[in-house]
DNA sequence: GTTTACATGTAATCCGTTACATGATTGA
DNA sequence: TCAATCATGTAACGGATTACATGTAAAC
């Protein structure tokens, strides 16, 4: 029974509390009203997750007692949590993460803001690109092998998968370019615009 | 405690056993070696699912005893299962299904082969298109509201989501066209190529 | 003869869903 | 005053993951 590493939901919560301290309800609202809706958002998921994170010392709970009768528990990313989150953000994208649409790859990118250096972000995107290209090859190989004998629906479904990953790949490339440009403005590697 | 409707994994199994009778290991192999890898594939998921489906009468289990010592249990879609699967395949795509990347929308399309009429498939794709367009509007609205004040990573992450759904939308349109063409060849609605 | 693939399962654990419960505050 | 929203939880249940257990058949 290993130390039990956080779930994707828990990492998402770590990332949010790391932006600014939040209550359970604040997190609920984020999952309700932003495109992070992927994670939903029931109290039965969020409050237990917060308790687990607090027990493991990844977030600090503070009781907000400003005149209110009901205690408002506000959670903030702890030093230890910062370490765990940082380590996760630096993980290379794996084939398995692509296949199970866990949303982890894009979540890591979104939460990397101000936590990773531009170089680390670019390294991460590079791993993302590699994973996509390698998996795309697999899928295209499968499409070739399948060819005409399989049913029309199966071929079309596979085509959807391929298109989706291709679009993701395009995005990775353009995002890397954007990051490089943004970084260039403040960290002119080599001899750029100065 | 309602009749408890099948999970996506269970519907996937229903679809597979509906193509041809399969053992637990056959299903395992499909999930291992095809792009259906989305569902994984551990015996701890598959065998209990098969047992549940058999208990609910959605699949029939047959003991294959051809000279082998070990019994090989082969499952086939039952009449009742055919009904449940068909009803599921006809369900319109919902916003929630798009958000949680459950893979259900594309799974339904893939399994619809020979189970739905071309008209029903087109109706399904139409619901898929509507769900995508409506959710895309939501996301684009969010992007406009967010604009410049949010961080670069958040904006880029949202952009990835939008691109992904756009690519899915393109696919839906092209798939509908393909289905229409294929149907036209054997069911010339109106007055096409006679 | 030994490893690899075939083949079927069980047990512990844990997370998420659904539903329920409670109460304060705000606005109609 | 009554509804809606803010706000924090608990409990039952169930499915999935992980790991373990076991044994056969085929290939090398």
């Amino acid at each position: 029974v290993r130390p039990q590493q956080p779930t994707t939901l828990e990492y998402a919560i770590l990332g949010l509390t790391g932006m600014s301290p939040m209550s359970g309800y604040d997190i609920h609202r984020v999952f309700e009203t932003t495109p992070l809706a992927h994670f939903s958002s029931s109290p039965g998921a969020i409050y237990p997750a917060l308790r687990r994170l607090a027990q493991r010392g990844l977030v600090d709970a503070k009781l907000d007692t400003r005149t209110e009768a009901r205690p408002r528990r506000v959670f903030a990313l702890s030093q230890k949590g910062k370490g765990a989150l940082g380590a996760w953000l630096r993980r290379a994208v794996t084939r398995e993460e692509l296949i199970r649409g866990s949303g982890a790859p894009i979540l890591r990118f979104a939460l990397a803001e101000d936590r990773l250096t531009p170089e680390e972000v670019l390294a991460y995107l590079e791993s993302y690109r590699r994973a996509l290209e390698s998996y795309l090859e697999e899928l295209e190989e499968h499409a070739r092998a399948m060819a005409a004998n399989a049913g029309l629906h199966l071929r079309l479904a596979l085509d959807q998968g391929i298109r989706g990953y291709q679009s993701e790949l395009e995005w990775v490339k353009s995002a890397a370019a954007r990051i490089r440009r943004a970084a260039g403005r403040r960290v002119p590697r080599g001899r750029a615009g100065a």
Side-chain angles (χ1 to χ4, degrees), chain A:
Chain A
V1 194
R2 239 159 301 132
Q4 194 69 16
Q5 70 170 21
T7 64
T8 311
L9 171 66
E10 286 169 348
Y11 279 122
I13 292 178
L14 286 182
L16 289 177
T17 57
M19 293 178 181
S20 65
M22 281 188 184
S23 71
Y25 195 75
D26 291 335
I27 293 167
H28 161 82
R29 214 181 320 98
V30 170
F31 289 160
E32 281 284 297
T33 63
T34 75
L36 254 145
H38 184 81
F39 306 93
S40 194
S41 110
S42 48
I46 291 175
Y47 289 101
L50 281 169
R51 203 190 325 128
R52 288 193 300 269
L53 292 173
Q55 269 169 358
R56 291 174 208 165
L58 300 179
V59 297
D60 295 322
K62 243 181 286 185
L63 267 185
D64 182 350
T65 50
R66 25 141 229 202
T67 55
E68 298 185 52
R70 265 289 187 85
R72 205 179 107 93
R73 223 174 292 275
V74 176
F75 298 88
L77 190 62
S78 73
Q79 212 56 34
K80 191 176 168 191
K82 211 174 283 189
L85 179 58
W88 185 65
L89 293 178
R90 287 174 180 83
R91 273 196 215 158
V93 174
T94 66
R95 177 178 180 277
E96 279 64 37
E97 287 178 312
L98 291 183
I99 294 177
R100 308 277 190 82
S102 60
I106 189 63
L107 180 65
R108 289 217 287 282
F109 177 81
L111 297 180
E113 185 124 53
D114 299 328
R115 295 217 117 77
L116 264 55
T117 67
E119 285 74 26
E120 289 174 321
V121 172
L122 288 172
Y124 176 73
L125 287 176
E126 182 61 20
S127 83
Y128 201 162
R129 189 183 62 74
R130 271 198 306 272
L132 282 167
E133 281 176 352
S134 142
Y135 189 53
L136 268 167
E137 260 183 62
E138 250 186 75
L139 288 182
E140 272 152 5
E141 169 60 31
H142 201 92
R144 251 173 279 128
M146 177 149 98
N149 52 317
L152 173 59
H153 283 238
L154 293 186
R155 276 181 288 139
L156 286 172
L158 179 54
D159 181 49
Q160 197 211 43
I162 290 175
R163 287 191 191 204
Y165 288 116
Q166 275 170 346
S167 133
E168 217 171 322
L169 180 56
E170 300 290 307
W171 175 87
V172 167
K173 288 175 183 171
S174 81
R178 273 301 287 274
I179 299 287
R180 238 177 268 118
R181 255 186 292 145
R185 257 179 261 130
R186 58 199 73 116
V187 188
R189 277 206 307 174
R191 145 219 33 233

